[in-house]
Amino acid sequence: MDQRMSRQVQRALQVPLHRRVRRVEAREYIDTFERTDSRSQVLHEFARLDFYMVQTIHQRDLRELSGDLGLGQHISFARDSLVESYFMAVGKMHEPQFSQYRMQFARVSYLMATVEDIFGEHQSVQELECFVQVVERWDLQAAEQLPQSLRVFYAAVYNTTNQISYTVLRRHGRDITSHMRRAWVSVCRDDLVEARWHHARQTPRLEEYLSNIRAAMTSPILLPAYFFLSQNIEEQSIHQLQSESNIINLSSMIIRLSADLQRSRIRGTFTINATP
């Protein structure tokens, strides 16, 4: 077995191809076949040009996102996950024509990660309860009662949601603000329950934990993804995205449990009581 084939076998054994990011794999294959004599010079050059042209578009998107969302200076304890969120979007849809989808996915994913940090690290349950009430009212003026960090974050959620809703209204003639609002309310309510468990040093039973995270999970991400990638939007499909249908519920459950397990390895504080 030659060196090139040996390297490909080793990579395949480390992580299966279907679990890799396609655009990163394209870059790997460009480098791999550059060292072979049997490659097509034309196809190889075309692959290189394609990769770097699309990468330029990705870099432009990320620069625009960095100018829109930089919450780190206002919420110092939150993860700076904007690049990570955009990279997730690239992994799902890297093609140039899906630039708007990637940017909106990254915005919402970044806000989802930040809200988890706010409810996980914030010291006052009372302030978190006030924050949830503001989200339920969906009113910027009501946010004046919040601390500066929560006020800035709520404004980011509010403006991002309205921006997504406006884009969908312009493209498809449908106002999805109420759907997005309900999704964010569900996320915040569920995170508030977990914050109360944490501050009370209460270990939930497995059934309680799963029931609490089932309602929202990734709804704020799934909804924009559907609207930006669909040509014909049906009301029945919107309600199905917000329901507990198996494929959506179980997929979201895997994502959420994987994230919680990862956080538990870092913090060493995640505990579930599996007894009935």
Side-chain angles (χ1 to χ4, degrees), residues 26 50 63 66 89 115 132 137 139 141 143 145 195 200 210 267-268:
D50 173 75
R63 282 195 299 270
S66 300
V115 79
V132 174
R137 292 176 62 181
D139 182 3
Q141 290 185 342
Q145 61 183 302
L210 294 179
R267 299 176 183 173

Side-chain angles (χ1 to χ4, degrees), residues 41-60:
Q41 293 283 356
V42 175
L43 287 178
H44 186 263
E45 184 63 20
F46 178 78
R48 288 182 65 258
L49 291 174
D50 173 75
F51 181 86
Y52 289 116
M53 288 173 65
V54 175
Q55 185 183 56
T56 300
I57 296 174
H58 295 166
Q59 292 170 341
R60 181 198 64 194

